[in-house]
């Protein structure tokens, strides 16, 4: 049974997932004229946020929050990155959303240790991201096979996986900087 504190954790996780979906990743670079130019990387903060809240709140809480997020996006309001509704099931993006479930499970294995080592976090993060992308690739392949559009699969593979997986790996670096803070908060509990 869910107690009051678990409900609060679920609501916080749900809000973090929703808000991070809407925030693009921007990189600011100063050019020779001393002006800053911002470049948008083709991902959002959703994956790093889910990894972070999994390390903070544990798997069950994040599973519930993410399931609520999927339910809301499919049946109530268009809260996904590129819309929502049941039609979103027909997009390649949905396979990657399904892939977040194994990502959460892999990252949650780090919660069994009292202290999280950065090397273990990076290994688990890479494995989790590869698993999420593999789930998305399989979903897209099955979907395109069903509609006899395998040429579209290769486009989806290049734009949704090859185009983004490197950026997801890079996002593990700023998250690894937070490991010390997470270890400190776990030690105090």
């Amino acid at each position: 049974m869910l107690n009051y504190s678990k409900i609060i954790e679920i609501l916080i996780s749900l809000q973090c997932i929703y808000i991070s979906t809407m925030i693009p990743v921007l990189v600011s670079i100063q050019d020779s004229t001393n002006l800053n130019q911002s470049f948008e990387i083709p991902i959002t903060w959703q994956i790093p946020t889910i990894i972070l809240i999994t390390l903070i709140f544990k798997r069950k809480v994040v599973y519930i929050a993410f399931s609520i997020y999927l339910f809301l996006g499919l049946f109530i309001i268009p809260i996904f990155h590129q819309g929502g509704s049941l039609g979103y099931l027909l997009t390649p993006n949905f396979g990657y959303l399904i892939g977040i479930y194994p990502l959460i499970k892999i990252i949650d294995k780090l919660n069994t240790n009292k202290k999280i080592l950065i090397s273990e976090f990076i290994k688990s993060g890479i494995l989790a991201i590869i698993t999420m992308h593999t789930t998305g690739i399989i979903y897209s392949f099955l979907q395109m096979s069903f509609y006899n559009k395998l040429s579209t699969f290769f486009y989806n593979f290049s734009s949704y996986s090859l185009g983004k997986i490197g950026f997801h790996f890079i996002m593990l670096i700023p998250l690894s900087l937070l490991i010390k803070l997470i270890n400190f908060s776990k030690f105090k509990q």
Side-chain angles (χ1 to χ4, degrees), residues 54-109:
T54 302
L55 291 172
I56 295 170
F57 292 131
K58 310 282 192 239
R59 177 176 57 189
K60 183 179 178 187
V61 169
V62 183
Y63 272 167
I64 293 170
F66 191 72
S67 297
I68 292 169
Y69 172 77
L70 284 180
F71 178 80
L72 289 173
L74 289 175
F75 298 108
I76 306 215
I77 54 177
I79 60 174
F80 299 141
H81 179 61
Q82 294 177 335
S85 81
L86 283 174
Y88 206 77
L89 293 169
L90 300 176
T91 68
N93 286 340
F94 193 73
Y96 296 92
L97 288 177
I98 293 171
I100 289 177
Y101 285 107
L103 177 135
I104 293 168
K105 184 175 183 174
I106 292 168
I107 294 297
D108 187 61
K109 290 180 182 176

Side-chain angles (χ1 to χ4, degrees), residues 21-40:
T21 302
M22 303 303 163
I23 303 173
V25 177
L26 297 172
V27 175
S28 183
I29 299 175
Q30 192 172 14
D31 64 8
S32 61
T33 61
N34 290 333
L35 295 174
N36 285 336
Q37 292 185 349
S38 294
F39 298 97
E40 185 174 340

Side-chain angles (χ1 to χ4, degrees), residues 10-11 14 16 40 46 69 72 118 131 141 156:
I10 290 168
L11 290 175
L14 180 61
C16 289
E40 185 174 340
Q46 186 177 39
Y69 172 77
L72 289 173
I118 292 176
T131 305
F141 180 77
N156 291 342

Side-chain angles (χ1 to χ4, degrees), residues 55-56 114 178-189:
L55 291 172
I56 295 170
K114 188 74 172 165
L178 295 172
I179 294 297
K180 209 170 203 174
L181 182 63
I182 292 169
N183 284 334
F184 179 73
S185 67
K186 283 185 175 189
F187 181 71
K188 286 187 81 167
Q189 292 176 353

Side-chain angles (χ1 to χ4, degrees), residues 5-175:
S5 65
K6 288 294 179 196
I7 292 172
I8 298 297
E9 289 176 2
I10 290 168
L11 290 175
I12 290 170
S13 297
L14 180 61
Q15 288 172 345
C16 289
I17 292 168
Y18 174 66
I19 292 168
S20 66
T21 302
M22 303 303 163
I23 303 173
V25 177
L26 297 172
V27 175
S28 183
I29 299 175
Q30 192 172 14
D31 64 8
S32 61
T33 61
N34 290 333
L35 295 174
N36 285 336
Q37 292 185 349
S38 294
F39 298 97
E40 185 174 340
I41 296 175
I43 61 172
T44 65
W45 286 97
Q46 186 177 39
I47 303 305
T49 301
I50 289 174
I51 291 171
L52 184 62
I53 61 177
T54 302
L55 291 172
I56 295 170
F57 292 131
K58 310 282 192 239
R59 177 176 57 189
K60 183 179 178 187
V61 169
V62 183
Y63 272 167
I64 293 170
F66 191 72
S67 297
I68 292 169
Y69 172 77
L70 284 180
F71 178 80
L72 289 173
L74 289 175
F75 298 108
I76 306 215
I77 54 177
I79 60 174
F80 299 141
H81 179 61
Q82 294 177 335
S85 81
L86 283 174
Y88 206 77
L89 293 169
L90 300 176
T91 68
N93 286 340
F94 193 73
Y96 296 92
L97 288 177
I98 293 171
I100 289 177
Y101 285 107
L103 177 135
I104 293 168
K105 184 175 183 174
I106 292 168
I107 294 297
D108 187 61
K109 290 180 182 176
L110 292 170
N111 284 330
T112 58
N113 303 337
K114 188 74 172 165
K115 184 176 181 180
I116 301 170
L117 299 173
I118 292 176
S119 61
E120 289 298 315
F121 170 74
I122 297 293
K123 284 185 217 172
S124 294
I126 289 171
L127 178 63
I129 290 169
I130 289 172
T131 305
M132 180 195 76
H133 278 270
T134 302
T135 305
I137 291 166
I138 291 170
Y139 183 87
S140 180
F141 180 77
L142 293 174
Q143 190 180 40
M144 294 304 122
S145 295
F146 182 74
Y147 292 111
N148 291 325
K149 294 185 177 183
L150 285 180
S151 60
T152 307
F153 165 75
F154 295 110
Y155 169 78
N156 291 342
F157 175 71
S158 65
S159 63
Y160 289 98
S161 276
L162 291 181
K164 296 181 180 184
I165 194 166
F167 294 119
H168 285 138
F169 289 148
I170 291 170
M171 294 306 293
L172 291 173
I173 296 168
L175 284 175

